[in-house]
Amino acid sequence: SRQHLHAGALITFRYLGSAHNKIRDRLTTSQKRLREHEEKLAHVARLNTMGEMASGIAHELNQPLSAIVSYNQACLRMLDDDYPDLELIRSAMHSTANQAHRAGEIITRLRAFVSKQPARREAISLNQIVRNTLMLAEYALREHGIEILLNLKEDLPPVEGDSIQIEQVTLNLLTNAIDALRHKPQPRQIRLETGATAELACLKVVDNGPGIPDTMLSKLFTPFSTTKPHGMGLGLTICQSIIESHQGHISGRNQPEGGGSFRITLPLQNAQPSSAALCEKEPLSHDANAQL
C-alpha cells in the first residue's frame, strides 16, 4: 500500500504595535528621567564648586566695590574745592563706571553658573568659555601664583551645546590643575588652548605639576575615585557625562615633559563627526598666542 506523507505549516499573525509602543514610551520616559537626574547632579556639583570658591569670589567682588567707594569719595572732595579739576573728576567717574561694570560681569557670571535651568542647546564659542572660566577662577590663580598661558585659535568655529555645562567642565579641569600646583615650587603654569579639525573643536588644559598618579590613570572617570583628601570623586565623572551628552569626548593623560593634560573634543555645529578621537590624532591648528 502506498503511504501518503502530509506536510503543512500553521502561521499565526499577532499585532504587536501596542506592546512596541509601550516599550518605546517606557524607554523614552527612562531616558528623560536619566537626563533630569544628570542635570540635577551637575547643578549640585556647580553649587558645591561655588561654595568652595566663595571666599575668593567675595574678594573679587570686594575689590571693584572698594574702588568705587574710593573714586566717589575723591570726587566729592574735589567738588568741594573752590576750583574743582573737572577733567580729573571726569577721569575718576570713568574709572568708577569701569569698576562697576567689572563687578556686574562677575555677578552675571555667578548667577548664570549657579542657576538651575533646563539644558539649552545653542551655538557657543570655546574661546568665550575659557574667558568666562578664568573670570571665576581669577582669585585662586592669583592666590597661588599661577601663570596662565593662552593659545586660542582665532575665528574658532562654534560648537552646539549648553554653555553653562561646558563652562562647568572647563572650571572643573582648571580647578583640578590649580590643586595639582598648590605645593609645587615656581614656576606654576597652566596652559589653555583651543583648536579645530574639519569636524571637531578641541579644548586642552595642561599644567606643569607632578602629573596624574599611575594608579589613577586607568580610573580617572570612575565614580568615587579621587586623590583629594576631601574630594568625593564625582567631578570628572560628571564632566564625562556632560561631554558625552554633547556627543563629545574627554580624556586625560600625563605629558612626556611632566604635568597633567586633559582634552575635550566636541563636534562643530551642524557637523557629523566620524570619530570623537580624531582630534586626539590630528594636531591643533592655532592662529594666536597670548599670555596673561
Side-chain angles (χ1 to χ4, degrees):
S1 61
R2 288 184 176 181
Q3 293 182 346
H4 297 280
L5 299 176
H6 298 279
L10 177 64
I11 301 175
T12 302
F13 294 93
R14 184 180 178 186
Y15 177 67
L16 297 176
S18 178
H20 286 167
N21 288 339
K22 289 180 179 178
I23 294 173
R24 185 183 62 228
D25 291 343
R26 288 174 182 172
L27 181 60
T28 301
T29 301
S30 297
Q31 290 174 338
K32 182 180 178 181
R33 288 176 178 171
L34 179 60
R35 284 194 299 270
E36 290 174 348
H37 176 73
E38 289 176 343
E39 288 177 13
K40 289 178 181 178
L41 187 59
H43 180 240
V44 170
R46 289 201 298 274
L47 292 177
N48 182 64
T49 300
M50 284 299 98
E52 293 175 352
M53 300 175 66
S55 61
I57 294 295
H59 182 81
E60 287 302 301
L61 279 174
N62 187 59
Q63 283 188 322
L65 293 177
S66 297
I68 289 170
V69 171
S70 297
Y71 285 130
N72 280 337
Q73 288 175 339
C75 288
L76 289 172
R77 285 196 300 269
M78 286 187 287
L79 287 171
D80 287 335
D81 293 342
D82 293 335
Y83 301 99
D85 187 336
L86 297 181
E87 191 59 36
L88 189 57
I89 293 173
R90 185 178 293 109
S91 175
M93 293 305 295
H94 277 302
S95 297
T96 298
N98 290 337
Q99 292 297 326
H101 180 69
R102 179 167 178 258
E105 281 186 332
I106 294 173
I107 292 172
T108 299
R109 264 312 348 113
L110 282 172
R111 288 186 63 184
F113 192 76
V114 301
S115 65
K116 185 177 181 181
Q117 56 188 15
R120 296 187 304 173
R121 294 302 173 99
E122 56 189 356
I124 55 176
S125 164
L126 288 184
N127 288 349
Q128 188 59 48
I129 292 292
V130 169
R131 296 185 185 101
N132 291 345
T133 304
L134 287 175
M135 183 184 297
L136 293 175
E138 184 178 352
Y139 176 78
L141 292 166
R142 191 169 58 248
E143 182 185 30
H144 296 290
I146 297 173
E147 180 185 20
I148 289 292
L149 305 176
L150 289 183
N151 193 3
L152 306 181
K153 175 178 169 59
E154 292 183 359
D155 302 319
L156 184 70
V159 299
E160 185 171 320
D162 184 278
S163 61
I164 298 301
Q165 289 189 354
I166 302 303
E167 192 174 312
Q168 176 178 358
V169 173
T170 308
L171 183 60
N172 187 281
L173 298 181
L174 184 59
T175 53
N176 283 352
I178 293 172
D179 288 339
L181 296 173
R182 285 179 186 270
H183 305 293
K184 178 191 178 296
Q186 292 287 4
R188 299 173 188 152
Q189 296 177 330
I190 297 175
R191 188 172 79 252
L192 295 163
E193 59 183 85
T194 58
T197 66
E199 298 173 331
L200 298 168
C202 309
L203 169 60
K204 195 173 181 181
V205 181
V206 185
D207 66 71
N208 68 335
I212 304 168
D214 292 338
T215 55
M216 286 294 298
L217 279 173
S218 62
K219 51 182 181 180
L220 280 174
F221 304 99
T222 303
F224 310 113
S225 296
T226 181
T227 58
K228 297 180 181 180
H230 305 292
M232 292 182 62
L234 290 176
L236 288 176
T237 305
I238 293 172
C239 288
Q240 184 184 53
S241 175
I242 290 173
I243 295 302
E244 289 184 349
S245 72
H246 286 72
Q247 289 74 54
H249 178 74
I250 182 172
S251 61
R253 63 185 61 173
N254 282 320
Q255 296 286 99
E257 66 274 18
S261 169
F262 281 85
R263 183 192 291 259
I264 299 167
T265 59
L266 292 166
L268 298 179
Q269 192 178 32
N270 302 321
Q272 297 295 327
S274 56
S275 171
L278 177 64
C279 205
E280 296 287 338
K281 301 176 182 178
E282 295 188 8
L284 295 181
S285 172
H286 301 299
D287 296 330
N289 290 279
Q291 178 172 320
L292 286 183

